[in-house]
């Protein structure tokens, strides 16, 4: 559990990058797959489905972070693992604050699934 927590903290706040890292989703997915395989069997396809339907990776990340701890509890994870799941979810949600704001405003960038290698595109503005 402590190593899993260190993985998350190290990915989000790496010392060699002056504590400016990622949002913890990939590291969290690795920890989740290793420690919560049954929960992962539901959340990984959920993440993929949300990305395919809505084409917004941050929406998929936020949705799976919200669902992670309740699903871990439903599968009977020990309380120590639930604390870890809750902390991981909270870290991911905190790191996605700006994304959540853009999602609520309808301005979060979408990915283009039809043309590989294309950059993310923002949603059309009011004049389009």
């Amino acid at each position: 559990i402590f190593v899993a927590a260190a993985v998350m903290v190290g990915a989000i706040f790496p010392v060699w990058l002056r504590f400016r890292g990622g949002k913890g989703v990939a590291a969290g997915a690795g920890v989740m797959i290793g420690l919560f395989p049954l929960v992962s069997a539901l959340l990984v396809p959920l993440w993929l489905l949300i990305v395919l339907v809505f084409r917004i990776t941050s929406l998929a990340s936020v949705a799976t972070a919200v669902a992670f701890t309740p699903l871990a509890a439903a599968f009977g994870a020990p309380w120590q693992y639930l604390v870890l799941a809750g902390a991981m979810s909270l870290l991911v949600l905190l790191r996605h604050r700006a994304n959540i704001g853009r999602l609520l405003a309808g301005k979060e960038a979408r990915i283009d699934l039809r043309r590989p290698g294309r950059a993310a595109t923002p949603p059309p503005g009011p004049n389009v």
Side-chain angles (χ1 to χ4, degrees):
I1 292 173
F2 291 118
V3 171
V7 166
M8 285 292 294
V9 171
I12 295 172
F13 305 107
V15 175
W16 58 88
L17 293 177
R18 297 186 186 141
F19 303 102
R20 293 182 189 154
K23 296 189 179 184
V25 176
V31 167
M32 183 180 66
I33 290 167
L35 294 180
F36 302 88
L38 296 176
V39 174
S40 301
L42 294 175
L43 290 183
V44 171
L46 174 66
W47 186 93
L48 186 59
L49 178 67
I50 292 171
V51 168
L52 290 174
V53 170
F54 295 100
R55 299 181 359 242
I56 304 173
T57 56
S58 62
L59 176 63
S61 300
V62 167
T64 54
V66 168
F68 182 29
T69 306
L71 273 176
F75 278 96
W79 71 268
Q80 299 92 334
Y81 282 68
L82 293 176
V83 169
L84 173 67
M88 288 171 55
S89 295
L90 183 62
L91 277 172
V92 168
L93 293 173
L94 288 173
R95 295 295 291 180
H96 279 83
R97 287 187 315 267
N99 300 84
I100 293 168
R102 287 190 298 271
L103 283 167
L104 292 173
K107 296 183 179 189
E108 184 69 327
R110 295 178 183 265
I111 58 173
D112 189 348
L113 298 173
R114 294 169 289 168
R115 296 180 234 164
R118 299 277 301 212
T121 57
N127 297 330
V128 176

